[in-house]
Amino acid sequence: MQIVELIKPIASVKKLPITLILSPDLPTHAIGDEKRLTQTLLNVVGNAVKFTKEGYVSIRVSVAKPESSQDWRPPEFYPASSDGHFYIRVQVMTEPFNI
């Protein structure tokens, strides 16, 4: 993922490993606003690195599904998928190392 490659040098200075986990159900291609998505993810991941003093940063990407029990948004957030449309879920998490 392009975002990880852009952020890695900054994270390595802070000795923060970055992991990227891509769900196997993600389509290999999608049509969308690549520039806006890149800008948003770069901002969020960059902030995660900027404000994390120690530990690691993890990025998980999957297809958003309404049956997920961990959703914090109401079910209406998930319009019915049709004609090959889908929503992606990107979670950026920071965690300290467990010692």
Side-chain angles (χ1 to χ4, degrees):
M1 182 181 221
Q2 172 183 348
I3 306 305
V4 174
E5 295 307 314
L6 290 170
I7 295 292
K8 258 186 185 176
I10 299 163
S12 68
V13 168
K14 294 182 75 174
K15 298 181 180 168
L16 292 173
I18 296 180
T19 59
L20 173 63
I21 302 165
L22 300 175
S23 176
D25 65 346
L26 279 174
T28 56
H29 293 84
I31 297 172
D33 192 339
E34 181 181 355
K35 288 182 181 179
R36 184 166 292 173
L37 181 60
T38 300
Q39 180 183 21
T40 302
L41 291 175
L42 193 55
N43 187 331
V44 173
V45 175
N47 281 342
V49 169
K50 181 178 179 179
F51 294 109
T52 301
K53 294 183 195 271
E54 59 183 33
Y56 64 93
V57 176
S58 175
I59 306 162
R60 294 179 184 208
V61 185
S62 61
V63 175
K65 296 179 182 164
E67 60 271 6
S68 174
S69 62
Q70 296 180 351
D71 292 336
W72 59 271
R73 294 187 184 248
E76 60 268 14
F77 172 70
Y78 300 101
S81 295
S82 63
D83 298 327
H85 292 88
F86 64 94
Y87 290 86
I88 62 169
R89 172 188 304 263
V90 179
Q91 296 173 293
V92 179
M93 298 168 277
T94 60
E95 296 285 334
F97 286 121
N98 293 329
I99 298 176

